[in-house]
Amino acid sequence: MYFCILLLLMQGLQPYSFLFNSVKRFDWLNTIVQARKDLLDIPPREEIKLYFSGFEVGKMTPFHIVSLACLIECIIRSGRRVRIKSDKEITKYLQEELQFEKYWGKNAPSNFVESQNDTVLNLWRFVDDEKEAYTMRIHQYLKRRFFENKDLSAVKESLDEAYYNVSDHANADGNAFSFIKFDEQQGKLYVAVCDFGIGIANSIRRVFTDIDNDAQALCKALEYNITTKSHERNQGMGLGNIKDTCTEDDILGIISNNGWLLAKRENIRNGLHKIDFDGTIIYYELSLNHFEEENILDAFTFTF
């Protein structure tokens, strides 16, 4: 903790500050994990400053937004305050377009706030009882706004699977967020879901004790009808359903505990990293232009 504060002072930052200066996933996640650890040594009611520099706001993906949201939620729940310090571009994006303050403001916090950009479906604080209604809302918005004649049922099913993973495996005490963004030019939907729970790798290994490490556990999570029986409603379909929804041009990534996994359909890579991340991040892409057109039957009547 002392070395961290000293380094920040040398960089011109104040104590109890954390610097995000890279959007590389493991660099970003390392800052998240370090902040969570150091939070235990910071006195209550202190102000935590989060600094952002060295990258353009356009480089921030749903992966970065959901993990940042979980960190802010963690700090606020600990009784400490958060201040974001960055250039005008990043500040404007987080405060004006995504409206972060409304999620943790002095008034009753919002679980969802509409973005000022109609291609950003914005941050959603996970609420278990609302997850199916939320996925339906996303499905209907995409059809109404961008894909009136496309069959987008697979989009809803992929979101259901990601959210049921939080319900059934995370034990995150409500510290979970999702973020969805649509790139109209590429015709791609970008989704990320993060929770600060026990981690799906840990959850899998508690049941399947023959699995040697967290990377193997994430591969197990892709199997069909997998279940850890952690919840009486457990869907148990497996995150492989998300993988199969992705086209060959899309990726599915999972980071949990000490494991990582990256899948492009049947091309699956996995491994271990040095960051011990208590929780799970699932991020994936969906190329919606490839989805089939809906078959709409003409109305007819029977005659006898």
Side-chain angles (χ1 to χ4, degrees):
M1 177 66 180
Y2 173 78
F3 175 77
C4 178
I5 294 175
L6 178 62
L7 179 60
L8 290 169
L9 286 171
M10 292 172 62
Q11 294 171 333
L13 303 181
Q14 298 178 9
Y16 314 136
S17 301
F18 300 94
L19 175 64
F20 294 83
N21 60 357
S22 171
V23 290
K24 292 182 179 179
R25 290 191 180 97
F26 286 112
D27 289 344
W28 182 277
L29 195 58
N30 185 59
T31 303
I32 296 281
V33 170
Q34 191 62 52
R36 290 176 70 183
K37 290 180 179 178
D38 288 356
L39 187 62
L40 300 174
D41 297 323
I42 297 176
R45 294 183 295 278
E46 286 288 345
E47 183 175 79
I48 313 298
K49 296 180 179 65
L50 305 179
Y51 285 81
F52 301 85
S53 67
F55 57 87
E56 298 176 357
V57 66
K59 299 294 185 181
M60 294 181 72
T61 68
F63 175 98
H64 304 99
I65 299 300
V66 292
S67 53
L68 175 61
C70 282
L71 175 61
I72 294 174
E73 181 81 3
C74 182
I75 295 171
I76 296 296
R77 288 186 178 197
S78 74
R80 297 164 179 88
R81 296 170 294 146
V82 177
R83 183 181 297 274
I84 292 177
K85 307 285 286 186
S86 65
D87 60 35
K88 291 182 179 179
E89 187 179 19
I90 294 178
T91 299
K92 182 178 180 180
Y93 177 64
L94 295 178
Q95 303 291 20
E96 296 183 18
E97 185 170 324
L98 303 188
Q99 302 189 65
F100 261 35
E101 287 186 356
K102 292 185 179 180
Y103 290 88
W104 298 280
K106 294 180 180 179
N107 298 325
S110 299
N111 294 325
F112 174 79
V113 181
E114 289 189 6
S115 168
Q116 300 302 302
N117 185 332
D118 63 359
T119 63
V120 175
L121 285 71
N122 218 3
L123 193 66
W124 176 57
R125 179 186 280 107
F126 178 84
V127 179
D128 192 20
D129 293 340
E130 299 176 5
K131 60 183 179 295
E132 292 181 1
Y134 183 72
T135 58
M136 179 59 71
R137 179 178 180 179
I138 297 298
H139 173 267
Q140 291 174 344
Y141 176 79
L142 289 171
K143 282 185 66 65
R144 183 176 67 251
R145 180 66 178 81
F146 301 106
F147 294 98
E148 183 177 357
N149 298 318
K150 289 282 188 180
D151 180 2
L152 300 183
S153 57
V155 173
K156 182 181 183 305
E157 291 169 2
S158 73
L159 291 171
D160 284 338
E161 193 64 49
Y163 295 150
Y164 266 102
N165 175 71
V166 178
S167 293
D168 299 332
H169 303 287
N171 291 336
D173 191 27
N175 190 355
F177 289 85
S178 78
F179 187 85
I180 303 172
K181 181 177 181 178
F182 179 60
D183 188 316
E184 193 169 5
Q185 185 175 1
Q186 296 185 41
K188 273 196 177 188
L189 195 70
Y190 293 87
V191 179
V193 181
C194 179
D195 69 75
F196 275 11
I198 63 172
I200 191 173
N202 189 19
S203 179
I204 291 286
R205 293 184 68 186
R206 286 182 178 183
V207 176
F208 301 96
T209 55
D210 58 327
I211 294 178
D212 294 330
N213 57 57
D214 292 340
Q216 293 178 10
L218 296 184
C219 283
K220 188 72 174 178
L222 291 185
E223 293 183 7
Y224 300 108
N225 298 315
I226 190 69
T227 178
T228 61
K229 297 181 175 61
S230 57
H231 200 291
E232 63 182 5
R233 306 174 307 194
N234 195 297
Q235 296 296 288
M237 296 299 292
L239 297 175
N241 288 276
I242 299 178
K243 173 182 68 69
D244 290 346
T245 302
C246 299
T247 72
E248 294 179 355
D249 298 324
D250 303 328
I251 64 167
L252 163 66
I254 309 173
I255 300 176
S256 181
N257 304 117
N258 291 114
W260 64 267
L261 179 146
L262 197 64
K264 293 188 73 171
R265 296 303 295 253
E266 302 310 316
N267 181 12
I268 300 173
R269 295 186 293 126
N270 68 330
L272 299 172
H273 55 80
K274 297 180 180 179
I275 305 169
D276 188 9
F277 173 58
D278 292 331
T280 301
I281 302 180
I282 300 169
Y283 58 99
Y284 63 96
E285 310 166 356
L286 291 179
S287 297
L288 303 188
N289 288 329
H290 297 290
F291 284 18
E292 296 180 354
E293 299 289 328
E294 281 187 320
N295 292 321
I296 302 176
L297 299 177
D298 292 332
F300 62 94
T301 57
F302 288 103
T303 59
F304 296 91

